[in-house]
Amino acid sequence: KKANLVPSDIDWVVLHQANLRIIDMVSKKLEIPIVKFIVNIDRVGNTSSGSIPIVMDEGVRSGKIKSGDKVLSIGFGGGLSWGGLLVQW
């Protein structure tokens, strides 16, 4: 809302890769199709605090994330702390 965007304006979502159930739940709650989520937990497991930069790098190197794309990234940690970032690539 603060960026004056609706969920359909988001090109890619990169989440902390804790588990697929959480990623699926976020997809449903935000009403953003799961195909817009870049996921690697199925291949590399939970890489802790490195998961977001690793997934972001994979998204760029694979050609998914392109110039001008809006990428939403959300991380969370112990004590239910969390943070989010929206970037236009």
Side-chain angles (χ1 to χ4, degrees):
K1 289 180 182 179
K2 287 182 181 181
N4 295 317
L5 299 173
V6 295
S8 61
D9 293 329
I10 304 298
D11 297 299
W12 296 106
V13 181
V14 174
L15 297 182
H16 170 71
Q17 305 285 298
N19 68 57
L20 289 172
R21 291 184 314 269
I22 293 172
I23 294 169
D24 187 53
M25 189 247 346
V26 171
S27 168
K28 289 175 182 163
K29 282 283 206 189
L30 294 179
E31 298 180 354
I32 298 175
I34 196 72
V35 296
K36 288 189 169 189
F37 285 66
I38 303 176
V39 176
N40 73 356
I41 192 169
D42 54 327
R43 294 188 331 275
V44 300
N46 183 347
T47 54
S48 188
S49 63
S51 64
I52 291 174
I54 292 168
V55 172
M56 196 80 74
D57 180 66
E58 289 179 2
V60 171
R61 288 177 188 253
S62 70
K64 287 182 178 180
I65 299 175
K66 298 177 185 65
S67 180
D69 283 355
K70 292 174 188 72
V71 180
L72 175 64
S73 179
I74 304 169
F76 56 91
L80 300 178
S81 59
W82 63 275
L85 174 69
L86 175 65
V87 249
Q88 185 165 0
W89 213 256

